[in-house]
């Protein structure tokens, strides 16, 4: 059963804490992406990676960090420097220059 | 910077009504265009896409979209909506000259179909 999994589904964080969101895919896609979804703003790109051990900042990378040590995995860390982290986070993957496939998302709430 | 505009944030229709959701983008070069749908509690999934060729593209579940290059538009249409079409719809644009596959998304349109 191929696809993209994200965990956890819901995550609560205290102010000042770093948290890491997991994204795993078994589609053998080279490229992976992290988006943030806020009401009325659509999806905004945080980071993307076209190949293992390489990643690039998207439009709203400040306060976030990523790693790409394996093709299947692209974890996102929301750091304490992110001023407004409460949002719905979506991970996606693709064969480069083809359509992106999305995971189910993680809803992060800062308490 | 490239932007994608979806004019209607919320749309309410009765079943069997016709649907047209607007999407305009600001990039002047060659683009690839997408419509994604997010049903309540489900993954974002692709409805249809335009890369080249016939500007009228047909997608899943009876949806279609027309690319009008002169108007920088890619409006989504369905002749007769069903209650199950209740969802949020996102237009996305990919510039055809970038080295990666980055999409720029519109703000989304929430469609509610009344039974």
């Amino acid at each position: 059963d191929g696809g993209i999994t994200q965990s956890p589904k819901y995550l609560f964080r205290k102010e000042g804490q770093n948290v890491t969101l997991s994204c795993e895919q078994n589609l053998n896609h080279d490229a992976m992406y992290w988006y943030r979804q806020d009401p009325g703003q659509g999806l905004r790109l945080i980071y993307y990676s076209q190949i293992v051990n390489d990643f690039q900042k998207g439009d709203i990378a400040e306060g976030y960090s990523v790693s790409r040590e394996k093709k299947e995995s692209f974890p996102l860390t929301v750091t304490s420097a992110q001023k407004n982290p409460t949002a719905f986070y979506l991970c996606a993957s693709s064969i480069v220059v083809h359509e992106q496939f999305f995971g189910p998302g993680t809803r992060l709430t800062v308490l | 910077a490239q932007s994608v505009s979806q004019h209607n944030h919320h749309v309410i229709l009765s079943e069997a009504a016709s649907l047209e959701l607007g999407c305009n983008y600001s990039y002047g070069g060659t683009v690839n265009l997408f419509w994604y749908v997010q049903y309540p509690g489900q993954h974002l999934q692709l409805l249809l896409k335009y890369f080249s060729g016939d500007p009228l593209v047909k997608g899943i579940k009876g949806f279609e979209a027309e690319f009008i290059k002169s108007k920088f538009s890619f409006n989504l249409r369905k002749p007769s909506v069903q209650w199950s079409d209740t969802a949020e719809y996102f237009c996305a644009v990919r510039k055809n000259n970038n080295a990666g596959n980055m999409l720029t998304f519109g703000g989304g349109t929430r469609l509610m179909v009344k039974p």
Side-chain angles (χ1 to χ4, degrees):
Chain A
D1 189 21
I4 303 173
T5 57
Q6 291 185 242
S7 62
K9 187 172 181 179
Y10 299 97
L11 184 58
F12 298 90
R13 188 195 93 173
K14 293 181 180 178
E15 285 196 26
Q17 280 184 336
N18 293 354
V19 290
T20 297
L21 283 58
S22 169
C23 177
E24 304 277 333
Q25 55 100 359
N26 61 3
L27 300 169
N28 200 33
H29 288 167
D30 288 312
M32 296 186 74
Y33 316 81
W34 273 105
Y35 293 91
R36 171 182 171 138
Q37 185 178 4
D38 296 280
Q41 297 193 55
L43 280 69
R44 292 180 290 166
L45 183 65
I46 304 172
Y47 267 97
Y48 65 97
S49 168
Q50 295 184 69
I51 196 168
V52 174
N53 292 322
D54 184 59
F55 49 82
Q56 306 295 329
K57 292 182 179 180
D59 299 321
I60 55 165
E62 186 175 349
Y64 300 98
S65 66
V66 293
S67 63
R68 187 85 187 276
E69 297 176 0
K70 298 186 299 181
K71 187 175 185 178
E72 303 79 17
S73 178
F74 191 41
L76 173 75
T77 297
V78 184
T79 75
S80 57
Q82 168 50 236
K83 298 304 179 190
N84 185 23
T86 294
F88 190 51
Y89 290 87
L90 287 168
C91 179
S93 71
S94 75
I95 300 170
V96 181
V97 306
H98 284 69
E99 71 222 46
Q100 296 181 15
F101 293 82
F102 287 83
T106 292
R107 189 166 296 280
L108 172 64
T109 302
V110 173
L111 303 173
Chain B
Q2 177 176 274
S3 69
V4 180
S5 298
Q6 292 183 240
H7 317 294
N8 309 102
H9 297 294
H10 292 90
V11 174
I12 301 174
L13 295 173
S14 298
E15 275 195 316
S18 64
L19 170 72
E20 181 161 2
L21 302 182
C23 174
N24 286 88
Y25 60 93
S26 63
Y27 180 62
T30 303
V31 293
N32 302 142
L33 299 157
F34 305 82
W35 275 98
Y36 282 87
V37 61
Q38 191 173 36
Y39 297 104
Q42 295 190 27
H43 299 203
L44 204 68
Q45 58 185 279
L46 184 70
L47 264 182
L48 48 78
K49 61 185 177 183
Y50 172 79
F51 274 53
S52 63
D54 188 344
L56 183 63
V57 292
K58 297 197 182 293
I60 61 172
K61 306 188 180 186
F63 286 90
E64 65 178 31
E66 184 174 14
F67 171 49
I68 303 180
K69 188 175 181 179
S70 61
K71 295 185 177 180
F72 300 91
S73 71
F74 190 55
N75 292 356
L76 180 71
R77 301 194 292 246
K78 185 170 184 179
S80 176
V81 294
Q82 300 172 311
W83 176 79
S84 58
D85 294 323
T86 294
E88 189 161 17
Y89 294 81
F90 295 93
C91 179
V93 175
R94 175 185 169 273
K95 288 189 286 187
N96 210 9
N97 64 351
N98 65 7
N101 191 28
M102 282 69 72
L103 299 179
T104 301
F105 282 82
T109 297
R110 284 190 182 274
L111 171 66
M112 179 183 293
V113 179
K114 298 185 293 183

